[in-house]
Amino acid sequence: MKLRVIIIMLCAVLVLSGCSPRPAGWQTGNVDLVRALGVDRAEGGVRVSATVGAAQAASLAAAVQELCSMGDSVLHVGHVNQLVLGEDFARDGAESLLDFVARDRQIGPGSRLWVLRGDAAERAVRGETDVSPRLTRLGETFAGTAPKLDCTATRLMSVMAREGSVAVPALTLEMGELAPAGYAVLRRGRLVGFLDREQSLGLELLCGQGAGQLVEVPLSATEWTVLTVRRAKVEGVPEVADGVLRSLRLRCEVRLEPAQGGALSAAQMELVARQAESVLCGRMVAALACAQLWDADVSGLERLARASCSDREWDDTNWETSFRTLPLQVIAAARVRWPADMEERGNEA
């Protein structure tokens, strides 16, 4: 008798819980949970898309509402953790999306933002396969190319309000597969350009987030030593004359460890350290060249300069008008932690 009661109760639980061909956690009753959302520019408005479809309206809020009510089931965007912006939408201005996230609160402020280079976001997110797991991997540990700068909506809103410019991780769509593509730079909410891989690494160094970067140093035509950045710290030294900021010198202290390579002599170790400095310095200079070209201080140089100036000196400085033409000097100071056995073998050679 007891066994029969237990079986009946189990059957009732199964019936009430429902059955679905979708993966567990993705559908509850007739509600579909959306994890990744694409946002594109559309004629006369905006177009939002998810795995199951797309909707277009005059405003972002109306488009999301339309998307959530389409089809046989109700779409719920409260679990969105990835936001992909099409390039055209980002060029027109991403502030409307960030304002919507802050005001409407349907989409969590911890959602990651991406800019899809040269394509519409709908092509990346719409289809039979949910792209949120792929984007999660790209944002964390995938192939060592994960963006080091925090790209959540919360941080982007904060940085844009405080500094006016921000870097957002970029993606490309290659053979139907999303791949990392450096950073997209937004100035006052609008896309002004993209940083390539080396420039993006330079930006991370300038922001003190360069840990994990690899530096390849040639020893000969066939031999290479590979170093890993363990720590990067940047300090700014401004030159002020007659109450005017004349230049800014940036010093990046970098700690490195060998990741690949054979035994080296003491002279070779010193040469490797100097060549590594040259590579790292080149990355930062390339990033700064783009930042000044676009008049977008995406690495927080204003804070570095202001921290070393007196209040009187800074009161006479107009950063918005001076940043684009301000002479910048970059110095990389590298210190390599060589393994004891490698150093001993090298010194004996």
Side-chain angles (χ1 to χ4, degrees):
M1 182 65 181
K2 291 183 178 181
L3 179 59
R4 181 179 300 175
V5 172
I6 293 174
I7 293 175
I8 292 174
M9 292 178 63
L10 288 175
C11 291
V13 170
L14 291 174
V15 170
L16 291 174
S17 64
C19 299
S20 173
R22 295 178 182 267
W26 282 85
Q27 185 174 11
T28 303
N30 62 340
V31 178
D32 285 323
L33 305 183
V34 177
R35 303 286 188 182
L37 196 68
V39 185
D40 291 303
R41 185 184 68 181
E43 185 175 352
V46 63
R47 184 174 179 85
V48 296
S49 50
T51 304
V52 295
Q56 183 173 322
S59 68
L60 185 59
V64 170
Q65 184 178 7
E66 177 69 21
L67 178 68
C68 290
S69 61
M70 65 184 299
D72 297 330
S73 60
V74 177
L75 300 183
H76 179 58
V77 297
H79 290 266
V80 167
N81 58 11
Q82 306 290 343
L83 293 165
V84 182
L85 313 185
E87 182 174 332
D88 287 347
F89 178 83
R91 289 197 183 279
D92 280 353
E95 286 186 321
S96 61
L97 173 62
L98 296 176
D99 289 342
F100 173 74
V101 172
R103 182 182 62 256
D104 194 90
R105 298 191 180 279
Q106 289 189 69
I107 300 173
S111 301
R112 279 197 179 102
L113 266 72
W114 308 82
V115 175
L116 185 60
R117 186 170 187 173
D119 220 323
E122 183 176 355
R123 292 195 60 229
V125 303
R126 188 174 179 182
E128 296 181 358
T129 305
D130 174 47
V131 299
S132 60
R134 169 70 174 174
L135 292 174
T136 298
R137 291 195 300 271
L138 290 179
E140 293 175 352
T141 58
F142 184 78
T145 59
K148 300 297 188 299
L149 303 183
D150 183 4
C151 56
T152 60
T154 299
R155 175 186 174 271
L156 297 185
M157 287 185 283
S158 174
V159 173
M160 283 207 303
R162 185 176 66 249
E163 300 177 2
S165 300
V166 70
V168 181
L171 299 166
T172 57
L173 195 59
E174 303 172 358
M175 304 295 290
E177 185 80 358
L178 290 171
Y183 288 96
V185 175
L186 306 182
R187 180 176 181 269
R188 295 177 181 172
R190 296 180 182 272
L191 175 66
V192 293
F194 291 93
L195 300 177
D196 65 21
R197 181 61 183 160
E198 286 295 299
Q199 294 163 348
S200 297
L201 293 175
L203 173 61
E204 292 175 350
L205 287 168
L206 290 166
C207 294
Q209 301 294 324
Q213 290 188 20
L214 297 179
V215 182
E216 296 183 347
V217 177
L219 297 175
S220 66
T222 58
E223 293 181 303
W224 292 75
T225 292
V226 180
L227 304 174
T228 302
V229 176
R230 293 304 181 195
R231 181 175 177 271
K233 180 182 178 182
V234 179
E235 296 179 347
V237 181
E239 177 190 353
V240 181
D242 300 325
V244 178
L245 181 63
R246 302 294 183 180
S247 65
L248 180 63
R249 179 164 59 91
L250 301 171
R251 176 184 172 85
C252 181
E253 295 184 359
V254 186
R255 299 292 183 267
L256 300 162
E257 291 181 0
Q260 180 180 329
L264 301 176
S265 66
Q268 286 177 316
M269 291 179 180
E270 180 66 20
L271 178 62
V272 166
R274 302 291 79 80
Q275 288 180 306
E277 289 177 343
S278 178
V279 172
L280 296 171
C281 189
R283 291 175 178 175
M284 290 184 285
V285 169
L288 289 173
C290 291
Q292 288 190 297
L293 176 64
W294 300 326
D295 197 15
D297 178 12
V298 288
S299 53
L301 297 188
E302 180 180 5
R303 287 182 284 106
L304 288 178
R306 187 170 186 172
S308 301
C309 291
S310 66
D311 292 339
R312 181 179 179 181
E313 291 172 336
W314 192 257
D315 287 342
D316 294 328
T317 298
N318 189 328
W319 184 257
E320 288 189 4
T321 59
S322 62
F323 170 69
R324 187 165 190 170
T325 58
L326 183 69
L328 301 173
Q329 181 185 8
V330 182
I331 300 173
R335 180 177 297 178
V336 184
R337 177 185 290 181
W338 299 102
D341 56 348
M342 178 181 289
E343 186 174 358
E344 290 172 0
R345 289 197 303 269
N347 289 334
E348 291 173 0

